[in-house]
Amino acid sequence: LSVVLRTRNHVLVYDTGPRYWGGGDAGKSVIVPYLQQQGISGIDTIVVSHPDSDHRGGLDSLYARFPAQALYVDAPLFYGRGMSC
């Protein structure tokens, strides 16, 4: 699961999809290419609803390419960064 919400001045990504068993993740293989294709050069906010791997699996790849101004997660200590939702 991942949703990209884009307004005239802001971009929010809600959840970052899964990490794959064979390596890789949805952040690297789906979300980053989509954002690049859309001409998006930055993300304002990333929200990860909960730490299940199908919701947070692409976070590291996405954040490496698009370090968001704000990261909201349900369990900041689990991620070692971010603000609580």
Side-chain angles (χ1 to χ4, degrees):
L1 171 72
S2 182
V3 176
V4 176
L5 299 171
R6 183 180 190 186
T7 67
R8 180 178 296 239
N9 299 311
H10 300 285
V11 176
L12 178 141
V13 176
Y14 181 87
D15 284 344
T16 62
R19 179 173 306 276
Y20 306 128
W21 282 98
D25 58 69
K28 185 176 187 176
S29 65
V30 178
I31 304 168
V32 167
Y34 171 77
L35 295 172
Q36 291 172 328
Q37 187 273 330
Q38 293 296 307
I40 295 171
S41 59
I43 297 174
D44 298 291
T45 305
I46 298 173
V47 177
V48 179
S49 61
H50 61 282
D52 288 357
S53 65
D54 59 331
H55 294 266
R56 66 167 169 84
L59 177 61
D60 291 338
S61 295
L62 178 62
Y63 201 83
R65 176 59 182 87
F66 293 97
Q69 295 174 19
L71 171 63
Y72 293 96
V73 297
D74 68 323
L77 294 177
F78 180 84
Y79 298 89
R81 62 183 187 265
M83 296 171 274
S84 186
C85 293

